[in-house]
Amino acid sequence: MEYMTESTNRSPGHILCCECGVPISPNPANICVACLRSKVDISQGIPKQVSISFCKQCQRYFQPPGTWIQCALESRELLALCLKKIKAPLSKVRLVDAGFVWTEPHSKRLKVKLTIQKEVMNGAILQQVFVVDYVVQSQMCGDCHRVEAKDFWKAVIQVRQKTLHKKTFYYLEQLILKYGMHQNTLRIKEIHDGLDFYYSSKQHAQKMVEFLQCTVPCRYKASQRLISQDIHSNTYNYKSTFSVEIVPICKDNVVCLSSKLAQSLGNMNQICVCIRVTSAIHLIDPNTLQVADVDGSTFWSHPFNSLCHPKQLEEFIVMDCSIVRNIKRSAGAGMISKKHTLGEVWVQKTSEMNTDKQYFCRTHLGHLLNPGDLVLGFDLANCNLNDEHVNKMNSDRVPDVVLIKKSYDRTKRQRRRNWKLKELERERENMDTDDERQYQDFLEDLEEDETIRKNVNIYRDSTIPVESDTDDEGAPRISLAEMLEDLHISQDATGEEGALT
């Protein structure tokens, strides 16, 4: 009876482990979990340390056989990439759970915690948790390698302008910087009459060409050259070239329109002044203040050239100036500029002050000029104008002098300029010594023309003290409200990013 009582009091369904004698629930192996784990390691064959490639330039991870993908730390995409690295050994077990174990971001280590199950010894299911350590190795991807080589490209854009002044290129450079159109370029090369943009794909080059067509009046031609081909896979490797030609007209050029074009623009005079070049050529008639815009397609249909070289600008002194109140307008006249005032002036060359020779002309600068002021202009009376449209004009309709802009002390303006512009990183070759003077001309144009300033990012120069917005001469200046604060990221002694200044 005592034996029967002990049997009924013992826990039903339990057996003793055949290895250590601990009471356990029955299982096909009749062994406890501790003894089973000591005999069988289901993670055997799964590597505990794996290397993974990472490109520091483009922040992408390598996914075999030949793909580079961008993944954030501890993201699902990165976890999937890590599991694929051990896909073959994992196929022999059942993956229950996987997740990242936190590691310091700059440690070059990724730790993945895995939970796996496997059937062992007569059908017993064993579960095990372990950590796989991934070593992040730096490796430059093929795209970045070609970029660093600087001799690989699949498309090039050759931007050219047949002028002696680079004002349009300086303006175009600021537009490219503002809208970030230089980010996909492999390199930018500056030559005497233009810029070359190199790209790793034709699509990026086409996007840049479309941007140029929207920002400056131009036309382009596309061509391509076969580099290699594979007849078995029907693949071809081409190098594409886009030749972009910008209209050969810059700001402050004096031009002579064809009679047909001048008539179509509202019967304006053929001799005009280019006041700016944006997506179109903006012209003003200094005799009537009539303005007109000529886009790229119109220009190439009725081309015209600059009459004078920029170095032919001469300095005049204003002897007398009177405002023209009543402007007689012909039938069919176009729009009149509201920002300019028509004036009749007598001027004398500063180089001819010892003579009595003076010139009379009309000008669109009547609101700026007073007797004694200095002004820059072109002397057409003593200039050899070799232009087909001028030769067909009546000589009485060609003015003796065309005034372009008021002259200020450049040294004083440069010293008081408390702003700056950013520049594209580019290779330069065969640069002229005249480039600095042309760049200063462009900076002065920004100060004088608010319309152009709206399309340019202007940054505050903290090295120049803040002064009033006007100086003694009344030279135009850019207000602080129009400037942006330039961002500088300083580094402390440990190399870590410090405070923003």
Side-chain angles (χ1 to χ4, degrees), residues 253-280:
N253 283 167
V254 177
V255 299
C256 182
L257 310 179
S258 64
S259 57
K260 185 176 181 180
L261 178 58
Q263 185 177 6
S264 66
L265 296 176
N267 291 326
M268 64 191 306
N269 290 318
Q270 292 181 246
I271 303 293
C272 297
V273 177
C274 176
I275 54 177
R276 75 179 63 90
V277 177
T278 56
S279 57

Side-chain angles (χ1 to χ4, degrees), residues 370-424:
N370 295 298
D373 288 345
L374 296 178
V375 61
L376 300 177
F378 292 106
D379 180 10
L380 301 186
N382 301 312
C383 181
N384 183 17
L385 300 177
N386 186 15
D387 185 85
E388 58 175 338
H389 302 312
V390 176
N391 295 336
K392 297 178 183 178
M393 288 179 60
N394 188 340
S395 58
D396 296 336
R397 299 185 64 84
V398 179
D400 294 338
V401 172
V402 177
L403 301 181
I404 300 300
K405 60 181 179 179
K406 188 175 178 179
S407 178
Y408 301 97
D409 186 351
R410 168 166 287 185
T411 304
K412 185 181 295 184
R413 293 182 69 174
Q414 189 172 352
R415 187 175 63 250
R416 294 188 174 185
R417 185 171 293 134
N418 59 344
W419 55 274
K420 59 185 178 180
L421 301 176
K422 292 187 176 181
E423 297 184 10
L424 287 174

Side-chain angles (χ1 to χ4, degrees), residues 265-268 290-291 329-330 332-336:
L265 296 176
N267 291 326
M268 64 191 306
Q290 187 172 334
V291 292
R329 305 184 64 189
S330 58
M335 293 179 59
I336 298 295

Side-chain angles (χ1 to χ4, degrees), residues 133-382:
D133 190 8
Y134 289 84
V135 180
V136 180
Q137 296 180 342
S138 297
Q139 178 182 343
M140 188 178 292
C141 67
D143 294 338
C144 294
H145 192 276
R146 287 189 287 266
V147 171
E148 290 298 321
K150 296 188 181 301
D151 58 354
F152 171 82
W153 55 272
K154 285 190 175 180
V156 60
I157 301 177
Q158 299 173 338
V159 185
R160 301 290 183 267
Q161 186 183 30
K162 299 177 181 178
T163 58
L164 296 172
H165 206 294
K166 298 182 178 180
K167 286 184 178 181
T168 306
F169 277 107
Y170 291 136
Y171 173 69
L172 180 61
E173 176 185 16
Q174 296 304 315
L175 290 179
I176 292 174
L177 285 169
K178 181 174 182 178
Y179 296 104
M181 296 303 297
H182 62 294
Q183 294 178 351
N184 293 323
T185 56
L186 297 179
R187 63 171 174 153
I188 302 174
K189 186 177 180 181
E190 181 176 356
I191 60 175
H192 177 68
D193 57 348
L195 293 170
D196 289 346
F197 298 87
Y198 293 87
Y199 294 89
S200 59
S201 69
K202 184 178 179 181
Q203 290 75 17
H204 290 156
Q206 288 174 329
K207 185 177 180 181
M208 183 64 169
V209 171
E210 293 172 359
F211 174 78
L212 293 175
Q213 288 182 297
C214 296
T215 52
V216 290
C218 61
R219 62 180 177 180
Y220 79 95
K221 292 181 180 180
S223 61
Q224 59 184 11
R225 180 164 56 96
L226 180 63
I227 304 301
S228 62
Q229 62 176 330
D230 187 351
I231 58 175
H232 301 290
S233 60
N234 198 29
T235 57
Y236 299 87
N237 182 20
Y238 290 97
K239 280 193 174 183
S240 303
T241 301
F242 296 88
S243 300
V244 180
E245 182 181 1
I246 303 176
V247 296
I249 304 297
C250 284
K251 185 181 184 298
D252 297 336
N253 283 167
V254 177
V255 299
C256 182
L257 310 179
S258 64
S259 57
K260 185 176 181 180
L261 178 58
Q263 185 177 6
S264 66
L265 296 176
N267 291 326
M268 64 191 306
N269 290 318
Q270 292 181 246
I271 303 293
C272 297
V273 177
C274 176
I275 54 177
R276 75 179 63 90
V277 177
T278 56
S279 57
I281 305 172
H282 302 268
L283 302 174
I284 188 170
D285 182 356
N287 284 309
T288 62
L289 296 186
Q290 187 172 334
V291 292
D293 295 343
V294 178
D295 57 17
S297 59
T298 304
F299 174 85
W300 301 118
S301 301
H302 305 279
F304 51 87
N305 298 311
S306 175
L307 297 182
C308 300
H309 189 284
K311 292 184 178 180
Q312 291 178 300
L313 271 175
E314 297 191 57
E315 190 177 61
F316 296 85
I317 185 170
V318 179
M319 309 304 294
D320 186 27
C321 180
S322 59
I323 303 300
V324 179
R325 301 296 178 184
N326 299 320
I327 305 175
K328 294 182 180 180
R329 305 184 64 189
S330 58
M335 293 179 59
I336 298 295
S337 174
K338 304 296 183 182
K339 296 183 179 181
H340 300 84
T341 302
L342 186 62
E344 292 181 341
V345 296
W346 285 91
V347 294
Q348 186 175 14
K349 289 184 182 180
T350 54
S351 60
E352 298 177 349
M353 294 298 292
N354 56 346
T355 65
D356 295 333
K357 191 172 184 180
Q358 296 185 4
Y359 302 89
F360 174 79
C361 65
R362 276 193 168 190
T363 179
H364 59 290
L365 305 176
H367 59 298
L368 297 176
L369 302 182
N370 295 298
D373 288 345
L374 296 178
V375 61
L376 300 177
F378 292 106
D379 180 10
L380 301 186
N382 301 312

Side-chain angles (χ1 to χ4, degrees), residues 53-62 67-69 138-148:
S53 300
F54 176 71
C55 179
K56 294 190 292 185
Q57 273 76 9
C58 61
Q59 304 290 310
R60 293 187 299 175
Y61 293 90
F62 178 64
T67 308
W68 291 83
I69 60 175
S138 297
Q139 178 182 343
M140 188 178 292
C141 67
D143 294 338
C144 294
H145 192 276
R146 287 189 287 266
V147 171
E148 290 298 321

Side-chain angles (χ1 to χ4, degrees), residues 101-114:
V101 178
W102 186 87
T103 56
E104 205 278 327
H106 299 290
S107 64
K108 300 296 182 183
R109 292 292 188 275
L110 298 174
K111 293 183 181 292
V112 179
K113 184 179 180 181
L114 301 178

